[in-house]
Amino acid sequence: MKNFLFLIFMSFFFINTNSLSAQENENYLKVIAKSLPEQYLKSNSELFYTIQIGAFKNENKILDSVDNIVKTKENNLTKYRLGEFSTYEEAVEYKKMLLSVCNDAFIVPIKNGERIHIREALKLSAIL
């Protein structure tokens, strides 16, 4: 509950950042990523949800410098993701905060290290 309240507070803090410069967005992203509670940094679950904030043909030096970002290679792209949430609802709350600086962030479900379709993940979550 304490972490959930923290996420809510942070989302209110960053709500009106749509007109920020690229440097300000980068700084806010660093603050958001660094403030990610430890329990959401690495999941031991076979199914978790993460927030993808970018995918590029080449590595992105700015995102490489941000704490707590996970970088993966998939289909000739370098993908950058933040957090490993055990529930879809936790991922949604964190994504809301990230949308203030990454307007195309989206939730990616991972099962046993592989990306799966969101519908499959939500069905599995209902079973688990």
Side-chain angles (χ1 to χ4, degrees), residues 78-116:
T78 302
K79 297 183 178 186
Y80 294 87
R81 297 179 179 143
L82 261 172
E84 294 184 3
F85 304 91
S86 58
T87 69
Y88 179 75
E89 291 77 16
E90 291 169 333
V92 167
E93 290 305 314
Y94 194 71
K95 183 185 97 167
K96 286 177 186 177
M97 183 173 42
L98 280 172
L99 286 174
S100 65
V101 291
C102 300
N103 60 3
D104 55 352
F106 61 94
I107 297 172
V108 174
I110 306 289
K111 181 180 178 198
N112 297 325
E114 299 292 322
R115 183 177 177 166
I116 63 171

Side-chain angles (χ1 to χ4, degrees), residues 2 11 52-53 65 67 83 92 99 115 119:
K2 187 167 95 174
S11 65
Q52 185 165 312
I53 59 172
S65 71
D67 289 341
V92 167
L99 286 174
R115 183 177 177 166
R119 275 189 242 132

Side-chain angles (χ1 to χ4, degrees), residues 3 19 23 29 31 40 48 53 55 66 95 98 108 117-118 126:
N3 289 329
S19 62
Q23 181 64 45
L29 178 60
V31 169
Y40 300 128
F48 63 87
I53 59 172
V66 177
K95 183 185 97 167
L98 280 172
V108 174
H117 195 280
I118 192 74

Side-chain angles (χ1 to χ4, degrees), residues 21-111:
S21 70
Q23 181 64 45
E24 288 172 319
N25 272 342
E26 178 185 340
N27 291 339
Y28 282 128
L29 178 60
K30 286 181 178 182
V31 169
I32 291 170
K34 194 170 193 133
S35 68
L36 186 63
E38 190 173 319
Q39 73 189 52
Y40 300 128
L41 293 179
K42 186 71 178 157
S43 175
N44 293 325
S45 176
E46 68 179 50
L47 171 64
F48 63 87
Y49 301 88
T50 186
I51 313 301
Q52 185 165 312
I53 59 172
F56 306 94
K57 287 184 180 180
N58 299 309
E59 293 184 3
N60 182 297
K61 290 181 183 180
I62 292 171
L63 292 178
D64 282 338
S65 71
V66 177
D67 289 341
N68 300 328
I69 286 189
V70 175
K71 178 171 67 170
T72 61
K73 296 277 188 179
E74 244 179 75
N75 302 325
N76 296 324
L77 292 174
T78 302
K79 297 183 178 186
Y80 294 87
R81 297 179 179 143
L82 261 172
E84 294 184 3
F85 304 91
S86 58
T87 69
Y88 179 75
E89 291 77 16
E90 291 169 333
V92 167
E93 290 305 314
Y94 194 71
K95 183 185 97 167
K96 286 177 186 177
M97 183 173 42
L98 280 172
L99 286 174
S100 65
V101 291
C102 300
N103 60 3
D104 55 352
F106 61 94
I107 297 172
V108 174
I110 306 289
K111 181 180 178 198

